[in-house]
Amino acid sequence: MAWTKYQLFLAGLMLVTGSINTLSAKWADNFMAEGCGGSKEHSFQHPFLQAVGMFLGEFSCLAAFYLLRCRAAGQSDSSVDPQQPFNPLLFLPPALCDMTGTSLMYVALNMTSASSFQMLRGAVIIFTGLFSVAFLGRRLVLSQWLGILATIAGLVVVGLADLLSKHDSQHKLSEVITGLFGFVILSLLLVPMYYIPAGSFSGNPRGTLEDALDAFCQVGQQPLIAVALLGNISSIAFFNFAGISVTKELSATTRMVLDSLRTVVIWALSLALGWEAFHALQILGFLILLIGTALYNGLHRPLLGRLSRGRPLAEESEQERLLGGTRTPINDAS
C-alpha cells in the first residue's frame, strides 16, 4: 500500500531531525572558544550540559501533550477511553537510567566521530537481549541470538575502524515524564559536578566533571555554539514526535529502517563536512550491524516466508506491517 503524504512527511521528519540531533551535538563539540576569566581557547566539551539540553527538548513535548489532551477532552466521542490515573513517580527509575545513559552518550560523542557514535549505539541490542533473558525470563529464538552475535561482530569492526582512522588523533581514547525527571535531576547535579575533580577526564580548564559557567562563557565568545545547542534541543523534540508517529502510522519495522538510514545520512554528511576520514571498515561494520539488527527484530521472516510459501509481495508486506505495528524495535533510542 502506498504511503500517504502525511506518512511521507513523518518519515522525512524523523530522518531529518534524527540526523540533525547527532550532527548538531557534534558541531558544538568541534568549536574552540575562550572560557571564563580569560582562559585559553579550548574545545567545547560539556557533555552533561548537552544532556540537560536534550532532556529540555523532551520536556518541551509536554506542551504538545496538554494541547492534544485538551483537544481530546473537548470532543464528544464516547469511543475514546478516558485516561487512567497513574503515579508519575513510576517513571523515576527508568528516568534515572535514561539520564545516566544519555550523559555517557554525550561523553562518548566527545571521544569519537559522529558516524561511529551512531553505529556503536547498536550495542543496546546486546544488553537488552541478555537482560530480558536474565530478569524477564524471556526465551530468545535462534535468529535473535544470531542477531546479538552479529551485532557484537559489527561493533568490533566499527570500533577497529575508529581506532585506525586518522581522524582519531583529535579524540581521546514515555519520554515527556522521563524528560521532566532527567532535566530537573541533571540540572541540579550540575552544581556538585562543578566542584568534583575529574583530572584528565575533564574537558574544561578547571579540571572538574562539568563546568556549566565555562560553557556559557564559551557560548558568549562563540554564538554559533548556541545555534548548535538550540538545534540539538529542538530536533530531539520533533524526532521523538516523528518516531512515535511513524510507529503508529506505519510500523515499528519502518522506524527501525529509518533509524538505520539516519546512520547513513550522519556518516555521509560527516564525510562531506570533513569531520572524519573515510574508512572502508566502517562500511563492513555498518552492514554487519544492520544484519544483526534485522535478525534480532525478525525482518528476515517475511522474506523467508515469501521464498518458502510463494506468497504475493503485497500480501506479505501487509502482514509485516500489521505484525510490526505491535512491536517496538530494540534500537529506537533517541
Side-chain angles (χ1 to χ4, degrees):
M1 184 174 63
W3 287 7
T4 65
K5 292 182 179 179
Y6 179 62
Q7 291 171 337
L8 286 172
F9 167 74
L10 291 175
L13 183 65
M14 178 182 170
L15 184 61
V16 171
T17 56
S19 301
I20 291 176
N21 183 249
T22 299
L23 291 171
S24 60
K26 190 61 182 178
W27 185 33
D29 294 341
N30 289 338
F31 278 110
M32 300 278 294
E34 295 180 1
C36 297
S39 61
K40 296 180 180 180
E41 273 196 354
H42 55 278
S43 300
F44 186 84
Q45 295 186 18
H46 298 280
F48 297 101
L49 184 67
Q50 287 178 303
V52 170
M54 196 213 73
F55 284 117
L56 177 60
E58 291 186 348
F59 182 43
S60 65
C61 295
L62 190 65
F65 171 77
Y66 277 115
L67 285 175
L68 292 175
R69 188 173 181 180
C70 293
R71 180 183 176 185
Q75 294 177 348
S76 59
D77 188 1
S78 59
S79 62
V80 178
D81 295 331
Q83 292 287 336
Q84 295 183 355
F86 65 93
N87 186 357
L89 291 178
L90 292 174
F91 291 88
L92 181 58
L96 292 174
C97 294
D98 189 25
M99 180 191 71
T100 305
T102 300
S103 301
L104 294 175
M105 180 181 71
Y106 281 106
V107 172
L109 187 57
N110 276 316
M111 298 181 176
T112 188
S113 63
S115 61
S116 294
F117 161 81
Q118 192 67 32
M119 295 180 194
L120 292 171
R121 292 175 67 180
V124 68
I125 286 180
I126 302 172
F127 297 102
T128 305
L130 295 178
F131 287 168
S132 67
V133 172
F135 299 107
L136 301 180
R138 181 181 175 187
R139 298 183 62 182
L140 302 182
V141 297
L142 177 61
S143 62
Q144 290 176 313
W145 285 113
L146 292 176
I148 290 177
L149 292 177
T151 300
I152 295 175
L155 291 173
V156 171
V157 174
V158 171
L160 181 61
D162 205 37
L163 291 175
L164 296 178
S165 176
K166 295 179 181 179
H167 207 67
D168 275 357
S169 59
Q170 299 182 7
H171 303 287
K172 299 180 180 180
L173 293 179
S174 10
E175 296 168 333
V176 171
I177 298 180
T178 301
L180 168 61
F181 283 127
F183 173 67
V184 174
I185 295 173
L186 196 54
S187 297
L188 295 176
L189 287 178
L190 288 179
V191 177
M193 286 179 182
Y194 182 82
Y195 299 100
I196 299 175
S200 60
F201 179 76
S202 173
N204 58 74
R206 295 181 63 252
T208 56
L209 193 58
E210 180 60 281
D211 189 345
L213 295 180
D214 180 70
F216 289 121
C217 290
Q218 286 188 290
V219 170
Q221 294 290 335
Q222 177 53 269
L224 286 178
I225 298 179
V227 176
L229 295 178
L230 288 175
N232 184 258
I233 293 172
S234 58
S235 62
I236 192 64
F238 286 103
F239 175 71
N240 285 339
F241 162 77
I244 294 173
S245 300
V246 164
T247 304
K248 179 181 178 181
E249 295 289 335
L250 295 167
S251 69
T253 301
T254 304
R255 180 172 180 173
M256 193 209 75
V257 172
L258 289 173
D259 204 51
S260 299
L261 289 177
R262 178 164 66 120
T263 303
V264 177
V265 172
I266 292 171
W267 186 28
L269 289 177
S270 297
L271 290 173
L273 294 171
W275 290 357
E276 58 184 276
F278 174 80
H279 205 295
L281 275 179
Q282 278 193 317
I283 299 179
L284 177 62
F286 174 68
L287 291 177
I288 297 175
L289 284 173
L290 200 60
I291 292 172
T293 303
L295 286 172
Y296 191 93
N297 289 284
L299 265 67
H300 63 289
R301 293 171 187 166
L303 178 61
L304 294 178
R306 286 198 297 270
L307 294 176
S308 61
R309 299 190 298 272
R311 286 192 177 187
L313 179 61
E315 180 182 351
E316 197 66 41
S317 298
E318 180 65 17
Q319 182 188 39
E320 178 187 0
R321 180 180 182 275
L322 293 175
L323 290 176
T326 60
R327 294 180 58 194
T328 301
I330 209 69
N331 66 334
D332 64 343
S334 60

